[in-house]
Amino acid sequence: MDHKNSQSASYAAAGVDITAGYKAVELMKKHVARTRNEGCLDDVGGFGGCFGLPIAGMEEPVLVSGTDGCGTKVKLAILMDKHDTIGIDAVAMCVNDIICVGAKPLFFLDYIACGKNIPEKIASIVSGVAEGCVQSGAALIGGETAEHPGLMPVEDYDLAGFAVGIVDKKKIINKDRMAAGDVVIALASSGIHSNGFSLCRKVFNIDNNDPMLYENRAELGGKTIAETLLTPTKIYVKSILALLEKVDVKGISHITGGGFYENIPRSIPDGLCAQIRKSAVQVLPIFNLIAKVGNIPERDMYNTYNMGVGMSVVVPADQVDTALEILKTHGETAYVIGSIIESDEKVILE
């Protein structure tokens, strides 16, 4: 599209450079192109993203949507001036939610609000969004970048988005089929993911850019606290889809804000409880460091962070070995952390 006649000196004087927006779109197109799949019907730049629904073979196709952002993890990306992975987090937080229903992600749209539109920076953010889409099999079919002068400092931005997936109604994960004796399997996280960063910011004095953020730490494998915290959220879509093909999955929980105590109960029916063995949880070093530096009680840690478990799935006891083999074949660190018992407590950590 030719934008040479589309410019406004008055709007630019007010703090919004619409030509920067055009340049950002041009720079991000190569990243968006990586995400194209069979459902894409047009290119980025129109008023709406069009997508053809792949419903062949489905009796009752159901669309499943999810929306989220990256929380205050964005603050760390801004401090480190590293913007090419935060988009993975935005996609992950959405697609990891809808896969809990059993839905295959179809497409994703992002929204970036910024103090000043710096095209190269926006394109870097979108490159991460595109990578997240590639990892989940979703197409990036559109988005929006909004310049907010006076509302946000020029260096600041926020990132959010939403995903839409599809599942045959009969294949929606139904927790009501869960029974005592079923087994809870953990899928390891890549780190903090995108939750609990307000507490991280306090513990590590991130808002003041504390020098300890950039010290190499032996307990973190030689990495700094900053780069460890900025590790992108793991996307579980393809491994869970493979699992659903061969195993009778009765419940899936995405362990996000609220940790074990809030998220695991969401996939447990009334009258049953997930009994989790804390000794079985493979806690990542970053969580031990947070607890130590911040003097955070253990219960608060499990009620805020994923503690090394990004997702949990419930399967019949006689299918545990098959489930573990499938998950490990697809690159997951997966292991048993508990079982389902009769109780009204929904989740017990012991």
Side-chain angles (χ1 to χ4, degrees):
M1 184 181 296
D2 185 1
H3 300 296
K4 65 182 180 181
N5 293 320
S6 182
Q7 50 188 301
S8 170
S10 298
Y11 207 8
V16 177
D17 183 358
I18 57 177
T19 59
Y22 301 143
K23 182 178 180 182
V25 170
E26 291 303 315
L27 290 175
M28 69 178 69
K29 280 185 175 180
K30 64 181 180 181
H31 303 300
V32 176
R34 296 179 56 216
T35 75
R36 287 187 64 85
N37 60 29
E38 66 278 2
C40 295
L41 300 182
D42 57 13
D43 294 324
V44 172
F47 286 98
C50 298
F51 194 91
L53 291 179
I55 60 175
M58 291 191 180
E59 295 178 10
E60 288 186 83
V62 176
L63 294 179
V64 181
S65 60
T67 185
D68 210 337
C70 309
T72 58
K73 187 172 186 175
V74 171
K75 177 71 173 180
L76 187 59
I78 293 169
L79 284 175
M80 293 182 67
D81 194 25
K82 179 174 173 55
H83 313 287
D84 61 346
T85 61
I86 196 71
I88 299 175
D89 293 286
V91 176
M93 298 308 292
C94 297
V95 297
N96 283 345
D97 275 355
I98 67 174
I99 194 62
C100 291
V101 184
K104 177 183 178 181
L106 297 176
F107 58 83
F108 185 85
L109 283 86
D110 61 15
Y111 177 82
I112 304 169
C114 57
K116 181 177 177 59
N117 188 332
I118 302 172
E120 293 77 11
K121 184 175 179 179
I122 298 300
S124 182
I125 296 169
V126 173
S127 73
V129 175
E131 175 59 27
C133 287
V134 169
Q135 290 183 23
S136 62
L140 179 56
I141 63 171
E144 175 69 14
T145 301
E147 207 168 7
H148 290 168
L151 185 62
M152 304 172 71
V154 294
E155 71 276 8
D156 280 6
Y157 64 88
D158 196 13
L159 170 64
F162 77 92
V164 173
I166 193 168
V167 61
D168 203 343
K169 187 175 182 179
K170 66 183 180 182
K171 294 185 178 181
I172 292 176
I173 305 298
N174 181 5
K175 66 181 181 181
D176 292 333
R177 297 187 305 103
M178 200 175 294
D182 288 339
V183 175
V184 184
I185 293 175
L187 279 69
S189 69
S190 57
I192 298 291
H193 284 184
S194 300
N195 301 103
F197 268 84
S198 292
L199 182 54
C200 282
R201 286 164 53 213
K202 179 181 178 182
V203 169
F204 296 123
N205 198 20
I206 289 175
D207 290 352
N208 293 318
N209 209 13
D210 195 296
M212 71 170 160
L213 289 169
Y214 307 104
E215 298 171 354
N216 295 320
R217 312 279 302 208
E219 66 265 56
L220 300 179
K223 292 184 178 181
T224 66
I225 293 173
E227 63 184 327
T228 300
L229 293 178
L230 202 57
T231 301
T233 304
K234 187 169 179 56
I235 292 176
Y236 300 96
V237 169
K238 293 180 180 178
S239 54
I240 292 294
L241 287 175
L243 185 69
L244 292 174
E245 290 181 3
K246 300 289 181 64
V247 173
D248 181 20
V249 177
K250 297 183 179 182
I252 306 176
S253 288
H254 181 200
I255 314 300
T256 56
F260 283 56
Y261 287 102
E262 180 177 326
N263 292 289
I264 290 180
R266 294 169 67 179
S267 65
I268 309 297
D270 292 341
L272 295 179
C273 170
Q275 187 176 42
I276 306 298
R277 300 190 308 276
K278 287 187 289 187
S279 61
V281 176
Q282 298 176 13
V283 179
L284 296 177
I286 185 61
F287 297 107
N288 293 326
L289 187 60
I290 292 170
K292 179 181 177 181
V293 175
N295 193 28
I296 309 298
E298 183 182 63
R299 193 189 189 285
D300 286 357
M301 290 296 296
Y302 277 92
N303 200 35
T304 305
Y305 296 108
N306 67 63
M307 300 302 288
V309 179
M311 188 163 281
S312 66
V313 298
V314 177
V315 303
D318 62 357
Q319 296 186 37
V320 169
D321 289 343
T322 300
L324 291 175
E325 182 180 354
I326 291 170
L327 291 169
K328 290 175 181 178
T329 297
H330 284 80
E332 304 294 346
T333 298
Y335 54 96
V336 173
I337 56 169
S339 59
I340 303 299
I341 63 172
E342 292 183 356
S343 173
D344 292 328
E345 292 195 50
K346 288 294 184 74
V347 63
I348 297 173
L349 274 68
E350 57 183 19

